[in-house]
Amino acid sequence: MAKPEGKYAWTVTVGTKGQIVLPKEAREVFGINPGDTLIILGDRDQGMAIPPKDQFSAFAEKVFGK
């Protein structure tokens, strides 16, 4: 099965302190650097998401509505 253009999936492991390590490829694709602050969105029905920094406002509106 071919991977759709611009679509990604990775797995991470949650450590004992609740921390996760973002895969190197994910950090490169989304321009995440050491010291960056990320926003994690959560919805009990839709799950969790870490939107790209430059698309946060549009993503939050889709997740939480108006």
Side-chain angles (χ1 to χ4, degrees), residues 36-57:
D36 284 354
T37 298
L38 303 177
I39 297 172
I40 298 178
L41 304 175
D43 180 282
R44 287 186 180 182
D45 296 328
Q46 297 182 43
M48 294 173 57
I50 305 172
K53 293 177 278 189
D54 61 344
Q55 298 175 10
F56 173 72
S57 294

Side-chain angles (χ1 to χ4, degrees), residues 4-66:
E5 182 71 26
K7 305 293 182 185
Y8 304 92
W10 297 282
T11 61
V12 298
T13 301
V14 179
T16 57
K17 294 182 180 181
Q19 299 169 321
I20 62 171
V21 175
L22 299 175
K24 181 181 179 190
E25 184 183 28
R27 296 189 313 266
E28 290 173 349
V29 167
F30 294 106
I32 299 169
N33 298 298
D36 284 354
T37 298
L38 303 177
I39 297 172
I40 298 178
L41 304 175
D43 180 282
R44 287 186 180 182
D45 296 328
Q46 297 182 43
M48 294 173 57
I50 305 172
K53 293 177 278 189
D54 61 344
Q55 298 175 10
F56 173 72
S57 294
F59 192 86
E61 187 173 315
K62 287 181 184 177
V63 172
F64 295 112
K66 292 184 177 186

